[in-house]
Amino acid sequence: MDPVTIDTTKIKHMKKKPETAIEKLEDTGLINTLLAAKDREGLILLTTIDQLFNWARLSSLWPVTSGLACCAIEMMATAMAHHDIARFGMEIFRASPRQADLMFVAGTVTKRMAPRVKQLYEMMAEPKWVISVGSCANTGGPYHESYAVLKGVDQIIPVDVYIPGCPPRPEAWIYGVIQLRQKIKNEGYGAKWGLNK
């Protein structure tokens, strides 16, 4: 019987399609790059464009000036030196909604005021976020049975974070801002790949 010679140069290796998230990362070579960066003691910064944008967005949120009732006093206290919301890059409350990307709905939203709140929201630049502050903005508060009060601002605009209280203390405001920053950080493909750590 003659020996069989196999020409290995003509064999095509079939690459297995990645199925899990880890296999997809290995397929892109990202894990090897991360390990190489770790060996070089962090001299390489590795991120995705959307994570870079998210970092810029969460580091410079500009709220629109909109105080509807007594919660607005607590908003002013949050911006003062003792609590200092400026540590999050939010020290400038914008007078124009076209320059803002965050809206605090602070106080009772009456049915007469609702179209104006919605118009302010629609005039804001994309991406935009909303924090509903206090019982009145969240659910109508003590006025929930009134014919003139909206039963929550989420009936007219989408809300990202709810801050409970009547009125909520500045510490609760800061916690709400931290929750919004976490939400912004976890948006996009980089978060799905686990690069938001």
Side-chain angles (χ1 to χ4, degrees), residues 5-82:
T5 308
I6 299 174
D7 188 2
T8 56
T9 59
K10 295 186 179 176
I11 295 176
K12 293 182 180 176
H13 295 281
M14 295 296 291
K15 195 171 184 183
K16 181 184 165 192
K17 284 191 173 182
E19 294 176 5
T20 65
I22 296 293
E23 289 175 356
K24 288 178 184 177
L25 281 174
E26 287 174 354
D27 188 47
T28 60
L30 192 57
I31 291 183
N32 293 335
T33 309
L34 285 170
L35 293 174
K38 187 177 179 183
D39 291 341
R40 293 192 183 108
E41 298 177 5
L43 297 177
I44 295 175
L45 175 66
L46 183 69
T47 188
T48 60
I49 293 296
D50 64 339
Q51 287 304 106
L52 185 66
F53 285 166
N54 288 347
W55 172 78
R57 287 174 183 146
L58 68 88
S59 300
S60 63
L61 289 169
W62 288 356
V64 65
T65 305
S66 62
L68 301 174
C70 47
C71 286
I73 303 299
E74 295 296 324
M75 178 171 64
M76 292 176 216
T78 306
M80 294 297 121
H82 184 73

Side-chain angles (χ1 to χ4, degrees), residues 61-152:
L61 289 169
W62 288 356
V64 65
T65 305
S66 62
L68 301 174
C70 47
C71 286
I73 303 299
E74 295 296 324
M75 178 171 64
M76 292 176 216
T78 306
M80 294 297 121
H82 184 73
H83 298 286
D84 193 21
I85 205 166
R87 68 181 112 167
F88 302 116
M90 301 174 63
E91 66 271 8
I92 303 173
F93 280 79
R94 297 291 168 177
S96 169
R98 298 186 199 292
Q99 299 173 348
D101 53 7
L102 172 63
M103 180 183 219
F104 288 115
V105 181
T108 311
V109 182
T110 61
K111 291 183 179 172
R112 187 172 182 174
M113 192 64 184
R116 288 146 186 95
V117 171
K118 186 173 183 177
Q119 183 180 16
L120 274 176
Y121 175 78
E122 289 170 351
M123 291 170 66
M124 289 168 55
E126 288 287 343
K128 52 190 168 187
W129 298 277
V130 177
I131 297 180
S132 176
V133 182
S135 299
C136 294
N138 293 343
T139 61
Y143 314 108
H144 71 279
E145 292 180 6
S146 171
Y147 67 90
V149 174
L150 209 61
K151 309 289 188 272

